[in-house]
Amino acid sequence: MRSKNVFKMLTFLTVVGIVTFWGNQVNSQTHTFIESIEGMSTPDTIPEKYPEAYDGPQTVKGLMNAFDAAYNQKFSKAKVVALWDGVAYSSELAIRGEIDARHSRVEWLQMLLQRGITIEDFDAYRIYLSKRHTLAFLEDNPDLRKIGFRGMPVTDDPEAYKVAYIDKLVAKRIEDHKKQMVRAKKQIERAEERIVRAKKHPNPKQVEHARKQIEDATKQLRRAQEALERFQNPASSPQKPKWNRIKKSTYPAL
């Protein structure tokens, strides 16, 4: 798992869709963290069709019925790499096989749903399933666990560590929803100001455009509010989210 060969780590940058849910950033020249997922090697493979936006029940069965076949066909393996004080740590696990044995996707999805996380589309599904690989990476590198890597607690209890990791995912998603609310409110305010200006100098097209922006921003605001309510009391939240969907995913591509 541990190697000082930094060049090997850099070769991982060629994989498809490099990203990290917690922010793919370089803290310094010697501190780097990368999560990635690699597509199938055969470009002619056509994955199962899946919905752009999922509005079915927020259950493990519903989500897996919608996305699992395409996920298995589309991706082959996930990689995690960390460069810390000149030492490169890396992990590579197949999408199916070892990672499913270590962290069952059924149990993983159930834990996320129980904590209030909502999986809205295929992007969210693949990102959240891929987080199992990062947890496995941290579990396999005690040197990183000892320093509280990525803000994780220092503990030898594997179950406590897993819970803390899920806590990080939940906290990040809550933060994202709060930021989305702030952006939506600002968009509404700016659109309302444009309507006032447009009425002073009659311009029906500008008024219509601004009203459409208010409508879209209001949907996003309601969507974020209902997601936050689900985090506060996931057990009583509806199995089928009420908000209107937008096609563009708010998740980074992994």
Side-chain angles (χ1 to χ4, degrees), residues 1-2 22 33 35 80-82 89-93 98-104 107-108 111 129-150 152-166:
M1 291 294 176
R2 179 171 178 172
W22 290 327
F33 181 66
E35 294 170 306
V80 184
V81 177
Y89 302 83
S90 66
S91 175
E92 179 177 321
L93 295 172
E98 183 179 356
I99 191 62
D100 282 332
R102 292 180 62 171
H103 297 294
S104 160
E107 294 178 1
W108 185 258
M111 284 191 297
L129 279 189
S130 297
K131 290 299 168 183
R132 298 176 301 162
H133 295 260
T134 302
L135 176 59
F137 164 78
L138 294 172
E139 290 171 337
D140 291 340
N141 286 284
D143 289 351
L144 294 178
R145 293 203 310 275
K146 289 177 182 177
I147 63 172
F149 187 70
R150 305 297 292 173
M152 291 290 290
V154 179
T155 176
D156 293 327
D157 185 338
E159 285 303 314
Y161 197 80
K162 181 192 294 188
V163 171
Y165 181 78
I166 296 293

Side-chain angles (χ1 to χ4, degrees), residues 45-242:
T45 300
I46 301 176
E48 292 282 341
K49 292 183 178 180
Y50 53 87
E52 292 185 8
Y54 178 76
D55 60 358
Q58 287 291 308
T59 61
V60 173
K61 182 178 179 181
L63 291 166
M64 293 186 73
N65 285 344
F67 299 126
D68 216 50
Y71 181 77
N72 289 333
Q73 279 189 279
K74 192 174 179 64
F75 303 111
S76 61
K77 56 189 173 182
K79 301 175 183 178
V80 184
V81 177
L83 177 62
W84 195 263
D85 292 338
V87 178
Y89 302 83
S90 66
S91 175
E92 179 177 321
L93 295 172
I95 292 298
R96 288 180 287 182
E98 183 179 356
I99 191 62
D100 282 332
R102 292 180 62 171
H103 297 294
S104 160
R105 67 181 72 185
V106 173
E107 294 178 1
W108 185 258
L109 289 169
Q110 188 62 49
M111 284 191 297
L112 295 175
L113 295 176
Q114 287 176 343
R115 291 297 306 276
I117 283 180
T118 302
I119 296 178
E120 308 165 11
D121 50 38
F122 187 70
D123 282 345
Y125 188 80
R126 60 176 174 150
I127 287 171
Y128 280 122
L129 279 189
S130 297
K131 290 299 168 183
R132 298 176 301 162
H133 295 260
T134 302
L135 176 59
F137 164 78
L138 294 172
E139 290 171 337
D140 291 340
N141 286 284
D143 289 351
L144 294 178
R145 293 203 310 275
K146 289 177 182 177
I147 63 172
F149 187 70
R150 305 297 292 173
M152 291 290 290
V154 179
T155 176
D156 293 327
D157 185 338
E159 285 303 314
Y161 197 80
K162 181 192 294 188
V163 171
Y165 181 78
I166 296 293
D167 287 343
K168 294 281 287 184
L169 297 182
V170 170
K172 180 62 172 67
R173 199 67 190 121
I174 290 175
E175 179 185 352
D176 290 343
H177 285 310
K178 289 181 177 179
K179 289 180 179 179
Q180 184 182 21
M181 289 179 64
V182 171
R183 289 194 300 269
K185 289 178 180 178
K186 288 182 178 178
Q187 289 173 359
I188 292 172
E189 291 174 0
R190 288 195 294 266
E192 289 175 340
E193 291 172 357
R194 284 195 291 272
I195 288 176
V196 172
R197 291 195 299 268
K199 286 182 176 180
K200 290 180 179 179
H201 306 281
N203 190 326
K205 288 185 178 181
Q206 286 187 3
V207 172
E208 182 181 356
H209 180 66
R211 286 176 176 168
K212 182 63 168 60
Q213 289 181 322
I214 291 175
E215 180 183 349
D216 292 341
T218 300
K219 289 179 181 179
Q220 293 181 28
L221 179 61
R222 186 182 305 116
R223 177 172 174 259
Q225 288 172 333
E226 292 177 356
L228 287 175
E229 290 174 2
R230 179 176 171 85
F231 281 113
Q232 292 170 359
N233 194 3
S236 63
S237 297
Q239 290 297 320
K240 187 173 180 179
K242 295 181 292 184

